[in-house]
Amino acid sequence: MESIYYKCKLLTDVVINASLATEGNMSSLNYIPGSNFLGIVATKYENLKEEAYDIFHSGKVSFGDALIAKGEAVSYQLPFSLYTEKLRKDIIDDRVWVRHGTKFPVKEDGKKLQFKQVRSGYFNPNKFYIKNVEKEFTLKSAYNPNERRSFEGKMFGFESIKKGQEFIFSIIFQDEKHIEAVNEVLIGTQRIGKSKTAQYGLVNIEKISK
């Protein structure tokens, strides 16, 4: 068994809906599900020939989710057990407390300090902090093909993950013989996400060493 790591750089904004709903404003996930990379490989099903069954149906190849990254280090979401002072909430420059097993201090006058839970942010083993996954919100109007103009009153919006960001994911191969076949159809410029128009979904995938 071997785990191979890949970097996915967003060349355009990418739409990764958090819900399967098709109406109303749509919010985005903060990561890219592994099913998107499986889908890329699946579109080249015929190129895989006799290896296709093992890759898609046997469980011998597992596609992981892509998490926000910096360089070649994947970042992980901060645990909910971290707290800062309510008015001093910079997790980089200010003091941070771990809730479990910690007795919160008090001021010199005996009053308790006010604390606020850290509920967002990502960190990696290189001690680099990412505040959030950057998003864009776009407002669109449904198109009326009969009148060749927008439908009146049919506006909708959706979030997308902003271009330029990098994500890292891994693929676990139970049999190393499938690595080359998957790399051949996965690596390079690809399209992922809900919308794959010229405006959205363009990414570049490359293999990295871990």
Side-chain angles (χ1 to χ4, degrees):
M1 181 176 72
E2 185 172 354
S3 295
I4 305 297
Y5 288 83
Y6 303 84
K7 180 187 292 183
C8 176
K9 182 174 182 178
L10 277 54
L11 304 180
T12 64
D13 293 355
V14 174
V15 180
I16 305 291
N17 289 343
S19 171
L20 296 177
T22 57
E23 295 184 359
N25 293 337
M26 304 175 198
S27 60
S28 171
L29 294 172
N30 293 324
Y31 63 94
I32 303 174
S35 56
N36 287 271
F37 308 112
L38 171 62
I40 292 172
V41 178
T43 60
K44 311 290 178 57
Y45 189 92
E46 294 182 354
N47 295 13
L48 300 172
K49 300 178 181 178
E50 66 275 2
E51 293 186 78
Y53 178 82
D54 280 350
I55 293 173
F56 298 113
H57 305 294
S58 68
K60 293 181 179 180
V61 180
S62 302
F63 293 77
D65 297 336
L67 305 178
I68 189 72
K70 182 68 176 180
E72 295 192 356
V74 66
S75 298
Y76 301 95
Q77 189 165 7
L78 294 174
F80 289 163
S81 58
L82 301 183
Y83 286 75
T84 59
E85 289 184 49
K86 191 172 183 179
L87 300 179
R88 303 186 65 180
K89 53 186 178 180
D90 189 325
I91 197 169
I92 299 298
D93 296 326
D94 297 328
R95 293 184 66 183
V96 178
W97 283 266
V98 179
R99 179 68 180 88
H100 303 297
T102 299
K103 185 178 180 180
F104 289 151
V106 296
K107 298 179 182 179
E108 293 181 358
D109 58 8
K111 294 182 179 179
K112 292 183 178 180
L113 290 172
Q114 287 186 302
F115 289 89
K116 184 174 182 179
Q117 185 182 34
V118 180
R119 298 184 179 181
S120 63
Y122 304 82
F123 69 95
N124 67 31
N126 296 334
K127 299 180 180 180
F128 190 88
Y129 172 71
I130 299 175
K131 187 174 182 179
N132 53 48
V133 176
E134 296 181 35
K135 308 281 187 65
E136 290 282 0
F137 183 81
T138 305
L139 193 63
K140 296 283 188 178
S141 175
Y143 180 69
N144 186 338
N146 297 324
E147 299 183 10
R148 297 184 180 180
R149 64 184 180 88
S150 299
F151 271 113
E152 291 187 10
K154 290 191 176 182
M155 303 290 290
F156 65 95
F158 58 83
E159 270 189 338
S160 58
I161 304 176
K162 194 173 181 179
K163 68 179 181 180
Q165 298 177 95
E166 297 178 345
F167 293 76
I168 289 178
F169 66 98
S170 66
I171 301 178
I172 300 175
F173 296 88
Q174 299 294 336
D175 193 327
E176 295 180 4
K177 71 178 183 179
H178 301 310
I179 296 177
E180 184 178 350
V182 169
N183 285 347
E184 187 174 340
V185 296
L186 178 66
I187 292 174
T189 302
Q190 308 286 358
R191 285 195 177 274
I192 63 173
K194 181 70 174 178
S195 178
K196 301 182 179 69
T197 65
Q199 184 180 359
Y200 296 101
L202 192 66
V203 301
N204 183 71
I205 298 173
E206 62 177 300
K207 180 178 174 292
I208 61 175
S209 57
K210 290 286 289 184

